Amino acid sequence: MSEVVLDKVMSAPAAGPTGATEAPVRKPERHRPHTLSILVLICGLLVTAGLCTVSRLNYLHSEQRQVNVQVELTADALAAAPVDVQRRIGRPALLAAATGQLSLATAEMSKSVPDTFVGARIFRIDNGAPTLVSSLGGALLLGVDSAQSTQLLKSAIASSTLAVTRIATATAQNFGYAFASSIAGRTYVAYAESTLPGNRRLILPSNSLLSNLNFAVYFGKDKTPANLIETNVDHLPLHGTVGQAPIPFGDQVLTAVISPRSPLLGTFAASVAWIILGAGILLTLIMTVLTERLVRRRAVAEQLATVTGQLYETERGVAEILQTSLLPQYLPRPPGLEIAIRYLAGTEGINVGGDWYDVISLNDGRMFFTIGDVSGRGLSAATMMSRLRHTITAYAMEGHDPAIVLTKLSGLVDLGRDGHFATLICGTIDLDNGIATFANAGHPPLVLVSRERGAPVAIPVGPPVGVGKQYTVTTLALSRGDVLLAYTDGLIERRGQSVEAGIRALCLAAHQTPDLEALLDTVLTVMSPQGAADDTAVLGLRWNP
C-alpha cells in the first residue's frame, strides 16, 4: 500500500510560485434535477390537482344547489301571479253568468282597471260565438276579431282554469288572460291584459331578493329570443352556474333561468379551490427545492466522504512511508544467525508510531539487537524513536553491555521534559558459542522457541527509559536452532485480554519450523488475523552455527 500511496503523492499536481497547488480548471457543471426531485414535483402537483378538483367540484355542486333553491323560490313567486289574475277576472265573469246583470260585472271588473290591467273586456257566448258586451280601459293589443282572440276565448270556455296568451309586437308586449263562467245556460268570458317590458329588460331595485341574480323568463319551454319575456342582462344565454325551472302559468308554462352575479356561498368558498391550488403548487415547489437540496447535499457528503477516505489513505500511506524510512533499511546477514523481521502498521489512526527494531554487527563477533516502543504517537514519538535508535547504535558500537546501554540511554531521556518514555529490550548474541545477554527496560519478555515449545525468557524487568536507571543483565545459552522472538506490545495486547494471556497465546503459536520467515508469518496470522490495532514489530533470531 505504501508504494501506491507514494505514487499518488509523487504524481500530485505541482505547487505554483506561491506554494498553492495548481488544480486543473474545471468547467462548472450544469446540474440536472434529480429523479427523486422530479417525482416529488409530479406527486405534489398530482395531489394538488386532485385536491383542487375535488374542492372545486364540491363548491360547484353546493353552488348549484343554492341556485336551484333560488330558482324554486322565484318559480313559486311567479306561479302565484295567475291565482290573483284568475280571482280578479273570474268574479266579473261569475257575476255576469249568475245574475245576467252586465252592470254588476262591469263594476267589478273596473276595480282592477287600470291599476292591475291596462284594459278589460266581457264577452257573452251565444251558441259558441263570442259577442263583446263590455269594454273598459285603454286600447288593447289583442284585436277583438283576431284569430288569437278567438282561440283564447275557446280555450277559456273549454277549460276551468285561466287561459293565458302572450301578445307581442316589435315595441310592446302584453299578457292576455281569459276566464269563462257558465251558469243556468248563460256563459260569459272575462278578458284582461297586463303590460310587460317592451324592450324585454327589467330593472330591479337594489333591495329586491333577485338583485344579486341574473335571470331570464321565457314564455313556454323553448328558451329562444322570440319567447323571451323579460331579463335583467344585456346578453343571453346566461353563463356560469345556471339553474332553470318550469312555472305553471294558467294553462301555459313559463321557464325561469337564473345564474348568480356573485357566489351565493361567498367569495371565500369560491376561492378555496384556487387557494388550495396556489398553496399546493407553492408547497410542492418548496418540497421539490428542499428535496433537490437534500439530494445534492447527500451527493456532496458522499463525495466528501470519498475524498476524506482517500485523504485518510494518503495520510496513512505517508505515515507508513515516514515510519519505514526511520527504521533500518537493511539488516546484516552474519553466518550462524538467521534474522527475520515483520512490521505491521496499526489499523487505528494515521499518526506515526514509535515502534522500532535494529540489528548491529559488532567487531568482536557478536550481534547487538534491540526492539522497543516509544509511548504515544505522532511526529514527536517518531522523532524520539529515531533519536533512541541511533543513540543505541552509538553505545553498542562502543562495546557496552546491554545494561550499560540502557543506563546511558536513560540519562538522555526525561519523561517530564520530553513528554515520552520508551520500553525496549537490548541484547547481544555471541555467534561462536550462542551466549546471549539481555537487559529489559519495561518491555514484554522475549520468547524462546526451542524444539519442544515456546516459553518467555525470565529477564529482570527494569523501569522504562526516561523513568528510571536500574537495569540488570541476564545471560542465556542458546542451543543450536533455538529462536528468540522479540516483539512490541501491539502483538500481544488486546481489548478485554490481559498481557499475560497474550504472552501465553504467543508461546502456543510459536513452534519450530525449518524456515524462520514462515515462523513469523504463522505468529502474525495467529495473533493478528485481522491486522493489529497498534503498530507491531516482530524480530526473529535463530542461532544456527
Side-chain angles (χ1 to χ4, degrees), residues 54-221:
V54 170
S55 176
R56 185 62 180 174
L57 290 177
N58 181 67
Y59 163 75
L60 292 177
H61 178 70
S62 300
E63 186 76 1
Q64 185 66 59
R65 291 176 58 185
Q66 292 295 322
V67 171
N68 292 340
V69 170
Q70 292 293 330
V71 170
E72 292 176 0
L73 292 176
T74 303
D76 292 342
L78 293 177
V83 176
D84 181 66
V85 171
Q86 181 172 325
R87 178 183 62 80
R88 290 179 179 276
I89 67 173
R91 293 185 64 184
L94 181 62
L95 286 173
T99 63
Q101 296 181 13
L102 189 59
S103 59
L104 293 176
T106 301
E108 183 65 26
M109 178 66 77
S110 63
K111 295 179 181 179
S112 300
V113 179
D115 296 332
T116 304
F117 306 115
V118 294
R121 298 170 181 161
I122 299 177
F123 293 90
R124 186 180 65 245
I125 307 301
D126 298 320
N127 298 322
T131 302
L132 179 62
V133 296
S134 178
S135 179
L136 297 89
L140 303 180
L141 293 182
L142 186 64
V144 175
D145 299 326
S146 65
Q148 187 176 2
S149 175
T150 301
Q151 181 62 40
L152 179 65
L153 295 177
K154 289 182 178 181
S155 298
I157 295 171
S159 174
S160 59
T161 187
L162 181 69
V164 182
T165 189
R166 173 173 172 255
I167 312 101
T169 65
T171 58
Q173 62 171 342
N174 285 350
F175 265 152
Y177 311 100
F179 187 82
S181 178
S182 297
I183 299 176
R186 291 187 295 270
T187 300
Y188 286 86
V189 177
Y191 171 79
E193 289 185 12
S194 61
T195 60
L196 297 172
N199 58 358
R200 278 67 171 173
R201 288 298 304 276
L202 183 65
I203 299 177
L204 296 175
S206 58
N207 59 353
S208 172
L209 294 177
L210 300 179
S211 60
N212 193 39
L213 299 174
N214 294 326
F215 68 90
V217 180
Y218 297 89
F219 189 79
K221 298 180 179 181

Side-chain angles (χ1 to χ4, degrees), residues 350-364:
I350 62 174
N351 290 325
V352 180
D355 293 24
W356 87 90
Y357 58 88
D358 203 354
V359 180
I360 307 165
S361 296
L362 302 179
N363 296 329
D364 57 0

Side-chain angles (χ1 to χ4, degrees), residues 268-303:
F268 177 77
S271 304
V272 168
W274 311 123
I275 294 174
I276 292 176
L277 179 62
I281 292 176
L282 180 60
L283 291 177
T284 299
L285 292 177
I286 293 175
M287 291 301 298
T288 302
V289 171
L290 290 178
T291 302
E292 184 68 16
R293 290 188 63 184
L294 290 176
V295 169
R296 293 195 186 285
R297 287 187 176 183
R298 178 181 176 183
V300 171
E302 292 175 350
Q303 293 174 358

